[in-house]
Amino acid sequence: MDNKIFSGETAVVTGGGRGIGEAIARNLAAAGARVVIVDVNKEAAVALSEEIGGSYVAADVSDSESVEGAVNKIIENNGKIDILINNAGINRDALTIRMKEEDWDKVMDINLKGVFNFSRLAVKKSMIKKRRGNIVNIASIVGIIGNPGQANYSASKAGVIALTRTMAKELAVRGIRVNAVAPGFIETEMTEKLPEKVREKFLENIPMKRLGTPAEVADTVRFLVSPASAYITGQVITVDGGMVTE
Ligand code: NAP
């Protein structure tokens, strides 16, 4: 197998400074891509981009002007965007009746509008001209099955799934594929902080009886942006140890 399958390709990873995005950035860089990390967390993103021989561009995905500036800069520096991984995401959990409107808006703005902002501009300014491109959106299984306390987050991820399917249908004829990965419970700083009891409860519901790793999510992303998945578009692949099976 060619280990550098993405050489000559520019891959943008939003929220790539840490967590799942970091694993995706490392994976694609190891496969030869020129990785551009887009993040609000400058410190982590700069250190990682230096380590993997990539670059860092500052942007808040929820702000369309900031995204436009970032997309322009990426194209100026790299000539094009071949791969876009919309990974930046946050959660602000509360039961629906207690949820603050600002927390609803913030999660929607970053998780859903952020994907719209970046995809629209990357497609318009680069992919459509080259008639070539690959987008993977990081959703979540809660966007499929729901989760108490995560009305904003699960609705945003369901929106990401619908946006993925719609853009895939719009762009297939232009040589651009759009897919989503829906992780289950993954070992990250977020899940590390969970109390032991909550963790045990999660494990009860995972057929494989363990959390997933960021590297396992990244391997699925790599497959979806590689020629090995050339006839796959508009799909949602769950990476969840068997929790969601339809
Ligand atoms: P994470 O560790 O919190 O990392 C997210 C990165 O995105 C951080 O560097 C963060 O910066 C950055 N970011 C936040 N808001 C941003 C914005 N507006 N613009 C640009 N960058 C921004 O997250 P994660 O747990 O790896 O999750 C990554 C993705 O996977 C998210 O979409 C999440 O919803 C999804 N997911 C995660 C899990 C899980 O178990 N962890 C499960 C299912 C789905 P700061 O460091 O400044 O916050």
Side-chain angles (χ1 to χ4, degrees):
M1 202 180 82
D2 179 7
N3 289 330
K4 301 282 176 202
I5 50 170
F6 302 122
S7 49
E9 298 197 19
T10 302
V12 176
V13 184
T14 72
R18 63 189 179 99
I20 293 172
E22 175 183 347
I24 296 168
R26 287 184 186 281
N27 191 317
L28 298 182
R34 258 190 324 234
V35 173
V36 183
I37 297 172
V38 173
D39 210 300
V40 286
N41 185 339
K42 185 172 176 195
E43 213 178 315
V46 167
L48 178 65
S49 62
E50 279 170 7
E51 191 191 326
I52 63 173
S55 56
Y56 165 68
V57 173
D60 174 350
V61 296
S62 66
D63 174 348
S64 59
E65 272 180 33
S66 162
V67 172
E68 181 150 24
V71 169
N72 288 341
K73 197 166 169 191
I74 295 165
I75 295 172
E76 214 175 281
N77 293 343
N78 301 275
K80 61 196 166 91
I81 297 173
D82 303 287
I83 294 169
L84 169 63
I85 314 299
N86 286 303
N87 164 81
I90 61 158
N91 60 304
R92 296 280 184 278
D93 298 349
L95 291 173
T96 309
I97 56 166
R98 293 198 194 124
M99 187 170 285
K100 293 190 190 116
E101 187 180 346
E102 68 198 66
D103 286 340
W104 173 272
D105 289 343
K106 184 98 184 146
V107 168
M108 284 294 168
D109 282 352
I110 294 176
N111 294 12
L112 180 54
K113 194 173 158 205
V115 177
F116 164 73
N117 283 341
F118 228 105
S119 304
R120 185 172 68 95
L121 288 163
V123 167
K124 199 167 139 186
K125 289 180 181 260
S126 178
M127 293 179 180
I128 221 150
K129 294 182 183 153
K130 306 266 174 198
R131 297 189 74 83
R132 187 170 181 277
N134 228 312
I135 300 176
V136 172
N137 300 323
I138 307 302
S140 165
I141 58 162
V142 305
I144 304 169
I145 58 173
N147 198 25
Q150 292 197 307
N152 48 0
Y153 183 81
S154 51
S156 74
K157 295 299 188 180
V160 166
I161 290 171
L163 179 60
T164 301
R165 292 181 173 142
T166 297
M167 288 190 68
K169 287 184 174 166
E170 288 178 356
L171 297 169
V173 73
R174 315 270 183 164
I176 301 165
R177 296 193 290 119
V178 188
N179 289 290
V181 170
F185 294 109
I186 307 299
E187 295 277 7
T188 57
E189 275 174 41
M190 191 180 86
T191 44
E192 254 168 43
K193 283 184 227 142
L194 292 172
E196 200 45 44
K197 269 202 170 148
V198 180
R199 219 180 148 85
E200 275 166 22
K201 195 96 199 125
F202 279 161
L203 289 177
E204 269 174 32
N205 296 318
I206 305 173
M208 286 190 183
K209 300 293 170 214
R210 67 169 179 88
L211 272 64
T213 65
E216 287 169 330
V217 178
D219 278 339
T220 307
V221 170
R222 192 225 290 250
F223 165 69
L224 285 174
V225 296
S226 79
S229 61
Y231 200 50
I232 298 177
T233 196
Q235 301 304 306
V236 183
I237 313 280
T238 54
V239 180
D240 66 351
M243 283 178 82
V244 178
T245 50
E246 60 176 324

